[in-house]
Amino acid sequence: MTAPTPSSLIIQGFTPPLRLADFRLAAFDMDSTLINIECIDEIAAAAGKKAEVAAITEAAMRGEITDFKDSLRRRLALLKGVPVSALEQVLATRLQFNPGARELCAALKAAGLKLLLVSGGFTYFTRHVAAELGMDFVRSNELEIVDGLLTGGLVMQAWGEICDGEEKKRMLLQCAAEIGAQPHQCMAVGDGANDLPMMGAAGLSVAYHAKPRVREQAMVAINEGGLEQLLHVLG
């Protein structure tokens, strides 16, 4: 007998449970999804510019600023001259995993799924998160640092400079192809407008404590409690 679905889960577009065995890849956003903060906002706090940067972040996540790359460049420009020690402080004192993140990732890995961390945030933090949760694939942005200070720019990587919504989608599809999976065998979990492209490409889209536009478009919305609740709809 299937356990009742918690009232904190809103399910749209299908009848649970889905079979966990039908999935092969799970893609996760990082900031405000797997972890409790928006890292760029916390870095800005060290520069005394949190309110200004956070306002841009919030507008971008709600989808009010449709060009994620532009919004990120605007925020990064405000961080020029911030010391690397600010990143160290955020990682050591502010970054925590959201409830259920470890449990969900462990359960998915135990079921044989590959895990993808795909973030519009920064490698300084994704390295830590990926190592802690056992991610198989990672894509994120690399902050440019010169003489121990942020330049306000990013390092160009082999795939490009900025991991926006389209890059998240492309990475999900690329990783799926690499392991021989089809898009319908993928799930994508996020909270902001820049997660919608990959969520739309996946067989199962999950909004976690998300912005209204994202909640409305997701197949599953977790509005209260932890990420582990997703397991209730994955029989």
Side-chain angles (χ1 to χ4, degrees):
M1 183 175 179
T2 303
T5 301
S7 58
S8 54
L9 283 172
I10 295 177
I11 299 167
Q12 307 171 131
F14 69 95
T15 302
L18 298 173
R19 294 197 318 146
L20 186 53
D22 291 335
F23 293 92
R24 298 187 58 194
L25 178 72
F28 291 91
D29 171 51
M30 181 178 72
D31 294 64
S32 298
T33 299
L34 289 174
I35 63 174
N36 65 322
I37 58 172
E38 293 286 337
C39 291
I40 194 167
D41 295 353
E42 300 307 318
I43 299 169
K49 297 179 179 178
K50 182 172 182 177
E52 192 172 354
V53 170
I56 300 173
T57 300
E58 180 70 11
M61 293 303 100
R62 287 197 303 260
E64 294 167 6
I65 299 176
T66 56
D67 188 337
F68 177 81
K69 291 183 177 180
D70 177 64
S71 78
L72 182 58
R73 289 189 179 105
R74 285 166 56 189
R75 286 174 283 167
L76 286 170
L78 295 169
L79 302 183
K80 183 177 181 179
V82 172
V84 172
S85 59
L87 307 184
E88 297 167 353
Q89 182 179 6
V90 171
L91 182 58
T93 67
R94 297 289 298 141
L95 188 152
Q96 297 179 9
F97 287 95
N98 273 331
R102 292 183 185 276
E103 292 84 350
L104 175 59
C105 288
L108 295 178
K109 286 186 73 71
L113 278 74
K114 297 295 184 183
L115 304 184
L116 164 63
L117 176 58
V118 60
S119 172
F122 310 117
T123 56
Y124 188 92
F125 304 102
T126 58
R127 277 193 294 263
H128 169 76
V129 171
E132 288 288 313
L133 298 180
M135 294 288 166
D136 299 285
F137 308 99
V138 183
R139 177 139 298 171
S140 58
N141 306 311
E142 180 77 40
L143 288 165
E144 185 178 55
I145 300 169
V146 176
D147 297 329
L149 302 175
L150 301 188
T151 68
L154 296 171
V155 175
M156 180 65 71
Q157 301 182 69
W159 52 266
E161 181 190 20
I162 295 178
C163 184
D164 62 357
E166 286 306 311
E167 182 60 28
K168 288 188 175 196
K169 174 183 174 181
R170 197 186 73 80
M171 186 62 176
L172 179 146
L173 296 175
Q174 176 183 313
C175 291
E178 187 172 324
I179 65 172
Q182 298 298 315
H184 71 265
Q185 296 175 299
C186 303
M187 64 180 75
V189 186
D191 74 301
N194 63 323
D195 297 315
L196 287 173
M198 72 168 180
M199 291 169 69
L204 175 63
S205 56
V206 182
Y208 180 70
H209 292 213
K211 301 298 183 266
R213 180 180 166 195
V214 181
R215 290 200 304 268
E216 291 164 5
Q217 296 186 40
M219 295 170 69
V220 174
I222 301 174
N223 297 327
E224 300 174 17
L227 281 160
E228 81 288 345
Q229 293 177 87
L230 179 57
L231 297 170
H232 288 284
V233 297
L234 295 170

